[in-house]
Amino acid sequence: MPISDPAVSRLPLYRAIAAEALGRGEAFISCTTIAEQLNLRPVLVRKDLESTGISGQPRRGFRTSELLRSLEESLAWGGLNKACLIGAGRLGSALLEYPHFSRFGLNLLAGFDIDRSKVGLTIGGKPVYPLERLASFARQEGVLIAVLTVPAEAAQRAADLAVQAGIRGLWNFSEVQPVVPSEVIVQRVELAASLALLSKRMTEAFRSQGAAPGLSKALGEHIPFNA
Amino acid sequence: MPISDPAVSRLPLYRAIAAEALGRGEAFISCTTIAEQLNLRPVLVRKDLESTGISGQPRRGFRTSELLRSLEESLAWGGLNKACLIGAGRLGSALLEYPHFSRFGLNLLAGFDIDRSKVGLTIGGKPVYPLERLASFARQEGVLIAVLTVPAEAAQRAADLAVQAGIRGLWNFSEVQPVVPSEVIVQRVELAASLALLSKRMTEAFRSQGAAPGLSKALGEHIPFNA
DNA sequence: ACTTGTGAACAAATTCACAGCC
DNA sequence: GGCTGTGAATTTGTTCACAAGT
C-alpha cells in the first residue's frame, strides 16, 4: 500500500491523539474526532489511515489501542531503529533527554562529542563518548541513524565521520546541508520553514482583519532590517 | 502576488544558499545552481522566487545581495517580529542561544520560566524573567509571538498565559496542541514528522537495494516494539 | 549559449459524493 | 444517524516547453 509523504508527516499527530484518547480510556476513536483536534477534514484522516493498512469499524470508529499500535508500527517501518547523536550541546542534550523517541521508532543509544568536558557525562540516561569512538560503536551496535546537532562549521566533518561509521541516515539539525554519498539519506529539520509559515499565517490573519501587512506594523511600529 | 505554503517553506533554504554564495563573493547566482545544491528542479526555484516578486537578469541570474535581502524581507513579511520564549529548559536555552533568528524575521527578546532557579539568568544575551511578568512585558514591548518550549503538561497553561498577554502567534515546540482562540495562530514544530520521513526514505532506499523492509532487519536483527 | 519568465500540461494531494454497514 | 470505505472530481503544486533577453 503506497503512502504519500504528507500522509506520513501526519501519522505522528494521529499517534499523539490516539495515545491521549487511550489514556482517557476511550476504547474507540473516529476520524471525525481526530480531524477536529487537528483542524483537518475527516476524510483526509480516513484516507491517511487507510493507506497505513489499518481498518476500523463502521459506526464505532477505530479501536484506539489497535490504532495506536498500528501507527507506531508504521512509524518504525518494521522495528526500532538504533541511532546515536553527534554534538551534545544544548540542543543535543535536549534531544538526549527526550524519553519518548521510541514512540516514533527511534532508539537513541548514545551521544558523541569532541568536547572532552562533555565526554563521560550521562544525559537522559545515555552516555556521551568521544567522537573517535563513533565508528567502532556504530558498527558494533549496528547503528544506522545519526542525529546531527553540531554547529554549522562542524556539520560536514561530522557527516563524513558518520558515513565512515556506516551510518545510512542523517537526521540533520544543523543549518548546513552536508554532502554525502547518494546511498545516505539526509533529512533536514526545517525550523526556519516552520517559522516562515507562522509568519505567513499571522500576516494573512492580520490582513483579513484589515490590518496593515507586517506584524510589527500591526502595532504601529516598524523595526528596520539588519542583514 | 500569491505564494504557496511549500514555496514559503523553501525560502529559508534559498536564503541560506544565497548567504553562502555572497560570502564567497559571488555577485550573481542562478536558479540552476541553487537547485543543484538542494536537489530541486531549477524551474521550481524560479517559480518560487518569482512569487516573492524578485526578478533576475537573463543570462546572469539574480544579484546575490539583492536576492538575499529580498528573501529575508519576504521571510519577515514587513518587519522583524518581536518574540519571547516560554520555558527556558534545555531546548529553550538552545533556542535563546541561537543568534541568527533575525535572519528569519524573528526578534527574540527574552525568556520566561516558572523555575526560580532559571529566573535571573542571561542565556544567549537574553534575560530570563519569571512567568508572571510575561503579560506586562509582552504588552509593553508589543510582542506578538511566543516560542513555546515547555513540557507537554505545561503547554496548555503556558498557551493560556500567552494569549492573555496579547500574543497572536505561537511557535509550538511542545507535543500538545494547545486550545487557543481562533484569532491566535499555532504553528507546531513537527520533529516527529521529519523523523517519520527519514524513516520512510531509508526504508525505501533499502527496499530498492533489495533488502528486507525494516531498518534494523537490514542488519539481520529485529528489536521488538514497546508501547 | 545560458539565463529568466510564463502559459500550458501534468502529477499529486485533497475533497466531494455516495455506497455499505451497524 | 453516524461511521468506514472508495472511486471520481477538484484543487493545488510541479514540471514541461518555449518565448525573450543579453
Side-chain angles (χ1 to χ4, degrees), chain A residues 5 13 77-78 80-81 90 97-98 171 175 190 194 200 215-216 222, chain B residues 5 13 78 80-81 90 97-98 171 175 190 194 200 214-216 222:
Chain A
D5 281 9
L13 297 173
W77 298 90
L80 268 182
N81 304 309
R90 279 202 144 111
E97 279 193 331
Y98 179 71
W171 197 23
E175 291 181 85
E190 281 291 355
S194 169
K200 185 199 176 202
L215 301 185
S216 306
H222 179 65
Chain B
D5 282 8
L13 298 172
L80 267 182
N81 304 308
R90 278 201 145 113
E97 278 192 333
Y98 179 71
W171 198 23
E175 290 181 86
E190 282 290 354
S194 169
K200 184 197 178 204
L215 302 183
S216 305
H222 178 65

PDB file of all heavy atoms in Angstrom, chain A residues 5 13 77-78 80-81 90 97-98 171 175 190 194 200 215-216 222, chain B residues 5 13 78 80-81 90 97-98 171 175 190 194 200 214-216 222:
ATOM      1  N   ASP A   5       4.145  11.269   1.226  1.00  0.00           N
ATOM      2  CA  ASP A   5       4.940  11.968   2.228  1.00  0.00           C
ATOM      3  C   ASP A   5       4.076  12.826   3.155  1.00  0.00           C
ATOM      4  O   ASP A   5       4.262  12.774   4.375  1.00  0.00           O
ATOM      5  CB  ASP A   5       6.010  12.828   1.548  1.00  0.00           C
ATOM      6  CG  ASP A   5       7.195  11.993   1.090  1.00  0.00           C
ATOM      7  OD1 ASP A   5       7.109  10.748   1.145  1.00  0.00           O
ATOM      8  OD2 ASP A   5       8.214  12.577   0.674  1.00  0.00           O
ATOM      9  N   LEU A  13       0.927  12.924  14.400  1.00  0.00           N
ATOM     10  CA  LEU A  13      -0.162  13.688  15.009  1.00  0.00           C
ATOM     11  C   LEU A  13      -1.286  12.747  15.420  1.00  0.00           C
ATOM     12  O   LEU A  13      -1.840  12.858  16.518  1.00  0.00           O
ATOM     13  CB  LEU A  13      -0.696  14.730  14.020  1.00  0.00           C
ATOM     14  CG  LEU A  13       0.297  15.806  13.580  1.00  0.00           C
ATOM     15  CD1 LEU A  13      -0.309  16.662  12.476  1.00  0.00           C
ATOM     16  CD2 LEU A  13       0.676  16.682  14.759  1.00  0.00           C
ATOM     17  N   TRP A  77       8.473   1.479  10.723  1.00  0.00           N
ATOM     18  CA  TRP A  77       8.729   0.757   9.478  1.00  0.00           C
ATOM     19  C   TRP A  77       9.347  -0.599   9.736  1.00  0.00           C
ATOM     20  O   TRP A  77      10.248  -1.009   9.044  1.00  0.00           O
ATOM     21  CB  TRP A  77       9.608   1.571   8.550  1.00  0.00           C
ATOM     22  CG  TRP A  77       8.951   2.837   8.168  1.00  0.00           C
ATOM     23  CD1 TRP A  77       9.042   4.021   8.816  1.00  0.00           C
ATOM     24  CD2 TRP A  77       8.052   3.077   7.074  1.00  0.00           C
ATOM     25  NE1 TRP A  77       8.254   4.966   8.208  1.00  0.00           N
ATOM     26  CE2 TRP A  77       7.647   4.414   7.135  1.00  0.00           C
ATOM     27  CE3 TRP A  77       7.561   2.256   6.040  1.00  0.00           C
ATOM     28  CZ2 TRP A  77       6.754   4.957   6.214  1.00  0.00           C
ATOM     29  CZ3 TRP A  77       6.685   2.811   5.123  1.00  0.00           C
ATOM     30  CH2 TRP A  77       6.304   4.150   5.217  1.00  0.00           C
ATOM     31  N   GLY A  78       8.892  -1.260  10.783  1.00  0.00           N
ATOM     32  CA  GLY A  78       9.304  -2.642  10.965  1.00  0.00           C
ATOM     33  C   GLY A  78      10.159  -2.909  12.180  1.00  0.00           C
ATOM     34  O   GLY A  78      10.363  -4.042  12.560  1.00  0.00           O
ATOM     35  N   LEU A  80      12.456  -0.875  15.807  1.00  0.00           N
ATOM     36  CA  LEU A  80      13.087   0.304  16.405  1.00  0.00           C
ATOM     37  C   LEU A  80      14.453   0.507  15.776  1.00  0.00           C
ATOM     38  O   LEU A  80      15.266  -0.412  15.734  1.00  0.00           O
ATOM     39  CB  LEU A  80      13.263   0.102  17.911  1.00  0.00           C
ATOM     40  CG  LEU A  80      12.150   0.605  18.810  1.00  0.00           C
ATOM     41  CD1 LEU A  80      12.531   0.371  20.256  1.00  0.00           C
ATOM     42  CD2 LEU A  80      11.924   2.079  18.572  1.00  0.00           C
ATOM     43  N   ASN A  81      14.699   1.707  15.321  1.00  0.00           N
ATOM     44  CA  ASN A  81      15.940   1.953  14.617  1.00  0.00           C
ATOM     45  C   ASN A  81      16.980   2.561  15.548  1.00  0.00           C
ATOM     46  O   ASN A  81      16.763   3.613  16.126  1.00  0.00           O
ATOM     47  CB  ASN A  81      15.661   2.892  13.445  1.00  0.00           C
ATOM     48  CG  ASN A  81      14.598   2.318  12.533  1.00  0.00           C
ATOM     49  OD1 ASN A  81      14.697   1.178  12.117  1.00  0.00           O
ATOM     50  ND2 ASN A  81      13.564   3.097  12.270  1.00  0.00           N
ATOM     51  N   ARG A  90      23.619  22.183  23.772  1.00  0.00           N
ATOM     52  CA  ARG A  90      22.306  22.367  24.416  1.00  0.00           C
ATOM     53  C   ARG A  90      21.207  21.653  23.653  1.00  0.00           C
ATOM     54  O   ARG A  90      20.378  20.974  24.244  1.00  0.00           O
ATOM     55  CB  ARG A  90      21.991  23.867  24.509  1.00  0.00           C
ATOM     56  CG  ARG A  90      22.677  24.517  25.692  1.00  0.00           C
ATOM     57  CD  ARG A  90      21.948  25.816  26.075  1.00  0.00           C
ATOM     58  NE  ARG A  90      21.940  26.010  27.509  1.00  0.00           N
ATOM     59  CZ  ARG A  90      22.631  26.976  28.133  1.00  0.00           C
ATOM     60  NH1 ARG A  90      23.380  27.811  27.454  1.00  0.00           N
ATOM     61  NH2 ARG A  90      22.565  27.096  29.446  1.00  0.00           N
ATOM     62  N   GLU A  97      17.773  13.988  26.266  1.00  0.00           N
ATOM     63  CA  GLU A  97      16.900  13.909  27.447  1.00  0.00           C
ATOM     64  C   GLU A  97      15.470  13.548  27.110  1.00  0.00           C
ATOM     65  O   GLU A  97      14.696  13.201  27.995  1.00  0.00           O
ATOM     66  CB  GLU A  97      16.896  15.265  28.171  1.00  0.00           C
ATOM     67  CG  GLU A  97      18.095  15.468  29.048  1.00  0.00           C
ATOM     68  CD  GLU A  97      17.890  16.649  29.971  1.00  0.00           C
ATOM     69  OE1 GLU A  97      17.153  17.579  29.592  1.00  0.00           O
ATOM     70  OE2 GLU A  97      18.458  16.636  31.062  1.00  0.00           O
ATOM     71  N   TYR A  98      15.106  13.674  25.845  1.00  0.00           N
ATOM     72  CA  TYR A  98      13.725  13.387  25.469  1.00  0.00           C
ATOM     73  C   TYR A  98      13.495  11.883  25.525  1.00  0.00           C
ATOM     74  O   TYR A  98      14.150  11.123  24.802  1.00  0.00           O
ATOM     75  CB  TYR A  98      13.443  13.933  24.073  1.00  0.00           C
ATOM     76  CG  TYR A  98      12.043  13.657  23.598  1.00  0.00           C
ATOM     77  CD1 TYR A  98      10.965  14.323  24.163  1.00  0.00           C
ATOM     78  CD2 TYR A  98      11.793  12.720  22.615  1.00  0.00           C
ATOM     79  CE1 TYR A  98       9.668  14.065  23.750  1.00  0.00           C
ATOM     80  CE2 TYR A  98      10.510  12.454  22.184  1.00  0.00           C
ATOM     81  CZ  TYR A  98       9.455  13.138  22.754  1.00  0.00           C
ATOM     82  OH  TYR A  98       8.176  12.872  22.341  1.00  0.00           O
ATOM     83  N   TRP A 171      19.732  12.587  10.551  1.00  0.00           N
ATOM     84  CA  TRP A 171      18.668  13.494  10.948  1.00  0.00           C
ATOM     85  C   TRP A 171      19.361  14.800  11.301  1.00  0.00           C
ATOM     86  O   TRP A 171      19.941  14.925  12.366  1.00  0.00           O
ATOM     87  CB  TRP A 171      17.890  12.920  12.127  1.00  0.00           C
ATOM     88  CG  TRP A 171      16.559  13.560  12.333  1.00  0.00           C
ATOM     89  CD1 TRP A 171      15.825  14.226  11.405  1.00  0.00           C
ATOM     90  CD2 TRP A 171      15.797  13.577  13.542  1.00  0.00           C
ATOM     91  NE1 TRP A 171      14.642  14.658  11.963  1.00  0.00           N
ATOM     92  CE2 TRP A 171      14.605  14.275  13.262  1.00  0.00           C
ATOM     93  CE3 TRP A 171      16.003  13.071  14.833  1.00  0.00           C
ATOM     94  CZ2 TRP A 171      13.624  14.480  14.237  1.00  0.00           C
ATOM     95  CZ3 TRP A 171      15.032  13.270  15.791  1.00  0.00           C
ATOM     96  CH2 TRP A 171      13.850  13.972  15.482  1.00  0.00           C
ATOM     97  N   GLU A 175      22.438  23.753  10.179  1.00  0.00           N
ATOM     98  CA  GLU A 175      21.923  24.589   9.093  1.00  0.00           C
ATOM     99  C   GLU A 175      22.514  24.252   7.745  1.00  0.00           C
ATOM    100  O   GLU A 175      22.002  24.681   6.719  1.00  0.00           O
ATOM    101  CB  GLU A 175      22.213  26.058   9.400  1.00  0.00           C
ATOM    102  CG  GLU A 175      21.399  26.576  10.558  1.00  0.00           C
ATOM    103  CD  GLU A 175      21.707  28.032  10.793  1.00  0.00           C
ATOM    104  OE1 GLU A 175      21.090  28.860  10.128  1.00  0.00           O
ATOM    105  OE2 GLU A 175      22.581  28.309  11.637  1.00  0.00           O
ATOM    106  N   GLU A 190      13.595  21.358   9.478  1.00  0.00           N
ATOM    107  CA  GLU A 190      13.429  22.684   8.909  1.00  0.00           C
ATOM    108  C   GLU A 190      12.748  23.644   9.885  1.00  0.00           C
ATOM    109  O   GLU A 190      11.590  23.994   9.720  1.00  0.00           O
ATOM    110  CB  GLU A 190      12.623  22.584   7.617  1.00  0.00           C
ATOM    111  CG  GLU A 190      13.425  22.131   6.433  1.00  0.00           C
ATOM    112  CD  GLU A 190      14.428  23.193   6.007  1.00  0.00           C
ATOM    113  OE1 GLU A 190      14.421  24.290   6.581  1.00  0.00           O
ATOM    114  OE2 GLU A 190      15.217  22.899   5.099  1.00  0.00           O
ATOM    115  N   SER A 194       9.232  26.204   9.304  1.00  0.00           N
ATOM    116  CA  SER A 194       8.112  26.290  10.230  1.00  0.00           C
ATOM    117  C   SER A 194       7.875  27.734  10.668  1.00  0.00           C
ATOM    118  O   SER A 194       6.743  28.223  10.696  1.00  0.00           O
ATOM    119  CB  SER A 194       8.416  25.391  11.435  1.00  0.00           C
ATOM    120  OG  SER A 194       7.527  25.609  12.474  1.00  0.00           O
ATOM    121  N   LYS A 200       3.862  33.774   7.805  1.00  0.00           N
ATOM    122  CA  LYS A 200       2.915  33.937   6.705  1.00  0.00           C
ATOM    123  C   LYS A 200       1.480  33.867   7.204  1.00  0.00           C
ATOM    124  O   LYS A 200       0.637  34.708   6.858  1.00  0.00           O
ATOM    125  CB  LYS A 200       3.157  32.835   5.666  1.00  0.00           C
ATOM    126  CG  LYS A 200       2.307  32.996   4.420  1.00  0.00           C
ATOM    127  CD  LYS A 200       2.198  31.697   3.631  1.00  0.00           C
ATOM    128  CE  LYS A 200       1.259  31.887   2.442  1.00  0.00           C
ATOM    129  NZ  LYS A 200       0.706  30.608   1.958  1.00  0.00           N
ATOM    130  N   LEU A 215       3.850  42.284  10.771  1.00  0.00           N
ATOM    131  CA  LEU A 215       3.305  42.016  12.096  1.00  0.00           C
ATOM    132  C   LEU A 215       3.561  43.171  13.041  1.00  0.00           C
ATOM    133  O   LEU A 215       2.674  43.601  13.775  1.00  0.00           O
ATOM    134  CB  LEU A 215       3.928  40.746  12.666  1.00  0.00           C
ATOM    135  CG  LEU A 215       3.710  39.499  11.808  1.00  0.00           C
ATOM    136  CD1 LEU A 215       4.262  38.286  12.517  1.00  0.00           C
ATOM    137  CD2 LEU A 215       2.252  39.309  11.504  1.00  0.00           C
ATOM    138  N   SER A 216       4.781  43.691  13.010  1.00  0.00           N
ATOM    139  CA  SER A 216       5.108  44.781  13.915  1.00  0.00           C
ATOM    140  C   SER A 216       4.287  46.016  13.588  1.00  0.00           C
ATOM    141  O   SER A 216       3.823  46.728  14.464  1.00  0.00           O
ATOM    142  CB  SER A 216       6.594  45.113  13.828  1.00  0.00           C
ATOM    143  OG  SER A 216       7.350  43.950  14.040  1.00  0.00           O
ATOM    144  N   HIS A 222       7.722  49.942  13.400  1.00  0.00           N
ATOM    145  CA  HIS A 222       8.451  49.177  12.411  1.00  0.00           C
ATOM    146  C   HIS A 222       9.917  49.083  12.816  1.00  0.00           C
ATOM    147  O   HIS A 222      10.571  50.081  13.071  1.00  0.00           O
ATOM    148  CB  HIS A 222       8.344  49.842  11.044  1.00  0.00           C
ATOM    149  CG  HIS A 222       9.108  49.111   9.992  1.00  0.00           C
ATOM    150  ND1 HIS A 222       8.783  47.828   9.590  1.00  0.00           N
ATOM    151  CD2 HIS A 222      10.181  49.466   9.261  1.00  0.00           C
ATOM    152  CE1 HIS A 222       9.625  47.446   8.663  1.00  0.00           C
ATOM    153  NE2 HIS A 222      10.483  48.413   8.442  1.00  0.00           N
TER     154      HIS A 222
ATOM    155  N   ASP B   5       2.280  27.608   0.433  1.00  0.00           N
ATOM    156  CA  ASP B   5       2.975  27.177   1.639  1.00  0.00           C
ATOM    157  C   ASP B   5       4.267  26.416   1.342  1.00  0.00           C
ATOM    158  O   ASP B   5       5.302  26.701   1.959  1.00  0.00           O
ATOM    159  CB  ASP B   5       2.037  26.321   2.507  1.00  0.00           C
ATOM    160  CG  ASP B   5       1.039  27.184   3.280  1.00  0.00           C
ATOM    161  OD1 ASP B   5       0.985  28.403   3.028  1.00  0.00           O
ATOM    162  OD2 ASP B   5       0.329  26.638   4.143  1.00  0.00           O
ATOM    163  N   LEU B  13      15.741  27.932   2.672  1.00  0.00           N
ATOM    164  CA  LEU B  13      16.820  27.191   2.032  1.00  0.00           C
ATOM    165  C   LEU B  13      17.532  28.066   1.014  1.00  0.00           C
ATOM    166  O   LEU B  13      18.761  28.090   0.932  1.00  0.00           O
ATOM    167  CB  LEU B  13      16.262  25.945   1.342  1.00  0.00           C
ATOM    168  CG  LEU B  13      15.594  24.910   2.244  1.00  0.00           C
ATOM    169  CD1 LEU B  13      14.912  23.838   1.411  1.00  0.00           C
ATOM    170  CD2 LEU B  13      16.631  24.298   3.167  1.00  0.00           C
ATOM    171  N   GLY B  78       7.623  42.091   6.281  1.00  0.00           N
ATOM    172  CA  GLY B  78       7.454  43.516   6.511  1.00  0.00           C
ATOM    173  C   GLY B  78       8.176  44.067   7.712  1.00  0.00           C
ATOM    174  O   GLY B  78       8.298  45.270   7.865  1.00  0.00           O
ATOM    175  N   LEU B  80      10.833  42.935  11.482  1.00  0.00           N
ATOM    176  CA  LEU B  80      11.263  41.955  12.469  1.00  0.00           C
ATOM    177  C   LEU B  80      10.179  41.792  13.516  1.00  0.00           C
ATOM    178  O   LEU B  80       9.711  42.768  14.094  1.00  0.00           O
ATOM    179  CB  LEU B  80      12.551  42.432  13.149  1.00  0.00           C
ATOM    180  CG  LEU B  80      13.860  41.955  12.551  1.00  0.00           C
ATOM    181  CD1 LEU B  80      15.015  42.484  13.379  1.00  0.00           C
ATOM    182  CD2 LEU B  80      13.914  40.452  12.512  1.00  0.00           C
ATOM    183  N   ASN B  81       9.802  40.563  13.764  1.00  0.00           N
ATOM    184  CA  ASN B  81       8.704  40.324  14.679  1.00  0.00           C
ATOM    185  C   ASN B  81       9.217  40.010  16.077  1.00  0.00           C
ATOM    186  O   ASN B  81       9.942  39.051  16.274  1.00  0.00           O
ATOM    187  CB  ASN B  81       7.863  39.175  14.144  1.00  0.00           C
ATOM    188  CG  ASN B  81       7.377  39.470  12.741  1.00  0.00           C
ATOM    189  OD1 ASN B  81       6.808  40.521  12.502  1.00  0.00           O
ATOM    190  ND2 ASN B  81       7.645  38.566  11.807  1.00  0.00           N
ATOM    191  N   ARG B  90      16.366  22.937  28.466  1.00  0.00           N
ATOM    192  CA  ARG B  90      17.489  22.712  27.549  1.00  0.00           C
ATOM    193  C   ARG B  90      17.144  23.159  26.135  1.00  0.00           C
ATOM    194  O   ARG B  90      17.927  23.833  25.476  1.00  0.00           O
ATOM    195  CB  ARG B  90      17.867  21.230  27.554  1.00  0.00           C
ATOM    196  CG  ARG B  90      18.761  20.894  28.742  1.00  0.00           C
ATOM    197  CD  ARG B  90      19.535  19.600  28.455  1.00  0.00           C
ATOM    198  NE  ARG B  90      20.865  19.653  29.028  1.00  0.00           N
ATOM    199  CZ  ARG B  90      21.267  18.870  30.040  1.00  0.00           C
ATOM    200  NH1 ARG B  90      20.456  18.024  30.599  1.00  0.00           N
ATOM    201  NH2 ARG B  90      22.506  18.973  30.495  1.00  0.00           N
ATOM    202  N   GLU B  97      20.013  30.741  22.705  1.00  0.00           N
ATOM    203  CA  GLU B  97      21.426  30.920  22.346  1.00  0.00           C
ATOM    204  C   GLU B  97      21.642  31.068  20.843  1.00  0.00           C
ATOM    205  O   GLU B  97      22.712  31.474  20.416  1.00  0.00           O
ATOM    206  CB  GLU B  97      22.236  29.722  22.839  1.00  0.00           C
ATOM    207  CG  GLU B  97      22.611  29.823  24.296  1.00  0.00           C
ATOM    208  CD  GLU B  97      23.641  28.775  24.666  1.00  0.00           C
ATOM    209  OE1 GLU B  97      23.672  27.719  24.013  1.00  0.00           O
ATOM    210  OE2 GLU B  97      24.398  29.030  25.621  1.00  0.00           O
ATOM    211  N   TYR B  98      20.641  30.703  20.074  1.00  0.00           N
ATOM    212  CA  TYR B  98      20.813  30.765  18.626  1.00  0.00           C
ATOM    213  C   TYR B  98      20.776  32.223  18.184  1.00  0.00           C
ATOM    214  O   TYR B  98      19.784  32.923  18.383  1.00  0.00           O
ATOM    215  CB  TYR B  98      19.712  29.967  17.936  1.00  0.00           C
ATOM    216  CG  TYR B  98      19.808  29.998  16.427  1.00  0.00           C
ATOM    217  CD1 TYR B  98      20.814  29.311  15.776  1.00  0.00           C
ATOM    218  CD2 TYR B  98      18.905  30.737  15.674  1.00  0.00           C
ATOM    219  CE1 TYR B  98      20.917  29.348  14.409  1.00  0.00           C
ATOM    220  CE2 TYR B  98      19.002  30.770  14.296  1.00  0.00           C
ATOM    221  CZ  TYR B  98      20.006  30.077  13.672  1.00  0.00           C
ATOM    222  OH  TYR B  98      20.115  30.120  12.299  1.00  0.00           O
ATOM    223  N   TRP B 171       4.759  29.632  18.371  1.00  0.00           N
ATOM    224  CA  TRP B 171       5.645  28.687  17.702  1.00  0.00           C
ATOM    225  C   TRP B 171       5.841  27.545  18.686  1.00  0.00           C
ATOM    226  O   TRP B 171       6.609  27.682  19.636  1.00  0.00           O
ATOM    227  CB  TRP B 171       6.958  29.364  17.336  1.00  0.00           C
ATOM    228  CG  TRP B 171       7.745  28.628  16.302  1.00  0.00           C
ATOM    229  CD1 TRP B 171       7.275  27.735  15.385  1.00  0.00           C
ATOM    230  CD2 TRP B 171       9.152  28.739  16.065  1.00  0.00           C
ATOM    231  NE1 TRP B 171       8.300  27.292  14.587  1.00  0.00           N
ATOM    232  CE2 TRP B 171       9.454  27.880  14.981  1.00  0.00           C
ATOM    233  CE3 TRP B 171      10.182  29.484  16.651  1.00  0.00           C
ATOM    234  CZ2 TRP B 171      10.750  27.742  14.487  1.00  0.00           C
ATOM    235  CZ3 TRP B 171      11.468  29.353  16.156  1.00  0.00           C
ATOM    236  CH2 TRP B 171      11.749  28.491  15.074  1.00  0.00           C
ATOM    237  N   GLU B 175       4.609  18.918  22.557  1.00  0.00           N
ATOM    238  CA  GLU B 175       3.929  17.863  21.808  1.00  0.00           C
ATOM    239  C   GLU B 175       2.426  18.040  21.778  1.00  0.00           C
ATOM    240  O   GLU B 175       1.742  17.401  20.994  1.00  0.00           O
ATOM    241  CB  GLU B 175       4.242  16.517  22.440  1.00  0.00           C
ATOM    242  CG  GLU B 175       5.676  16.105  22.236  1.00  0.00           C
ATOM    243  CD  GLU B 175       5.893  14.760  22.863  1.00  0.00           C
ATOM    244  OE1 GLU B 175       5.625  13.758  22.188  1.00  0.00           O
ATOM    245  OE2 GLU B 175       6.308  14.714  24.032  1.00  0.00           O
ATOM    246  N   GLU B 190       7.234  20.207  13.858  1.00  0.00           N
ATOM    247  CA  GLU B 190       6.937  18.792  13.707  1.00  0.00           C
ATOM    248  C   GLU B 190       8.202  17.950  13.614  1.00  0.00           C
ATOM    249  O   GLU B 190       8.542  17.442  12.554  1.00  0.00           O
ATOM    250  CB  GLU B 190       6.068  18.583  12.468  1.00  0.00           C
ATOM    251  CG  GLU B 190       4.620  18.928  12.670  1.00  0.00           C
ATOM    252  CD  GLU B 190       3.952  17.913  13.599  1.00  0.00           C
ATOM    253  OE1 GLU B 190       4.613  16.911  13.962  1.00  0.00           O
ATOM    254  OE2 GLU B 190       2.789  18.135  13.956  1.00  0.00           O
ATOM    255  N   SER B 194       9.362  14.942  10.648  1.00  0.00           N
ATOM    256  CA  SER B 194      10.655  14.884   9.988  1.00  0.00           C
ATOM    257  C   SER B 194      11.305  13.516  10.181  1.00  0.00           C
ATOM    258  O   SER B 194      11.829  12.905   9.240  1.00  0.00           O
ATOM    259  CB  SER B 194      11.535  15.999  10.555  1.00  0.00           C
ATOM    260  OG  SER B 194      12.850  15.855  10.154  1.00  0.00           O
ATOM    261  N   LYS B 200      10.916   6.647   6.494  1.00  0.00           N
ATOM    262  CA  LYS B 200      10.306   6.194   5.248  1.00  0.00           C
ATOM    263  C   LYS B 200      11.319   6.174   4.101  1.00  0.00           C
ATOM    264  O   LYS B 200      11.419   5.198   3.360  1.00  0.00           O
ATOM    265  CB  LYS B 200       9.134   7.115   4.883  1.00  0.00           C
ATOM    266  CG  LYS B 200       8.372   6.665   3.656  1.00  0.00           C
ATOM    267  CD  LYS B 200       7.505   7.772   3.079  1.00  0.00           C
ATOM    268  CE  LYS B 200       6.797   7.286   1.814  1.00  0.00           C
ATOM    269  NZ  LYS B 200       6.417   8.403   0.935  1.00  0.00           N
ATOM    270  N   GLY B 214      12.252  -2.694   7.054  1.00  0.00           N
ATOM    271  CA  GLY B 214      12.659  -2.570   8.460  1.00  0.00           C
ATOM    272  C   GLY B 214      14.139  -2.311   8.512  1.00  0.00           C
ATOM    273  O   GLY B 214      14.941  -3.104   8.058  1.00  0.00           O
ATOM    274  N   LEU B 215      14.492  -1.174   9.074  1.00  0.00           N
ATOM    275  CA  LEU B 215      15.888  -0.774   9.011  1.00  0.00           C
ATOM    276  C   LEU B 215      16.771  -1.740   9.781  1.00  0.00           C
ATOM    277  O   LEU B 215      17.828  -2.146   9.314  1.00  0.00           O
ATOM    278  CB  LEU B 215      16.039   0.636   9.571  1.00  0.00           C
ATOM    279  CG  LEU B 215      15.200   1.695   8.866  1.00  0.00           C
ATOM    280  CD1 LEU B 215      15.493   3.051   9.448  1.00  0.00           C
ATOM    281  CD2 LEU B 215      15.495   1.693   7.383  1.00  0.00           C
ATOM    282  N   SER B 216      16.324  -2.113  10.956  1.00  0.00           N
ATOM    283  CA  SER B 216      17.140  -2.995  11.776  1.00  0.00           C
ATOM    284  C   SER B 216      17.292  -4.356  11.109  1.00  0.00           C
ATOM    285  O   SER B 216      18.354  -4.967  11.136  1.00  0.00           O
ATOM    286  CB  SER B 216      16.518  -3.162  13.153  1.00  0.00           C
ATOM    287  OG  SER B 216      16.325  -1.895  13.727  1.00  0.00           O
ATOM    288  N   HIS B 222      16.138  -7.832  14.831  1.00  0.00           N
ATOM    289  CA  HIS B 222      14.859  -7.151  14.996  1.00  0.00           C
ATOM    290  C   HIS B 222      14.627  -6.828  16.463  1.00  0.00           C
ATOM    291  O   HIS B 222      14.689  -7.692  17.323  1.00  0.00           O
ATOM    292  CB  HIS B 222      13.718  -8.018  14.476  1.00  0.00           C
ATOM    293  CG  HIS B 222      12.380  -7.379  14.668  1.00  0.00           C
ATOM    294  ND1 HIS B 222      12.026  -6.213  14.019  1.00  0.00           N
ATOM    295  CD2 HIS B 222      11.324  -7.711  15.443  1.00  0.00           C
ATOM    296  CE1 HIS B 222      10.802  -5.886  14.390  1.00  0.00           C
ATOM    297  NE2 HIS B 222      10.353  -6.767  15.263  1.00  0.00           N
TER     298      HIS B 222
END
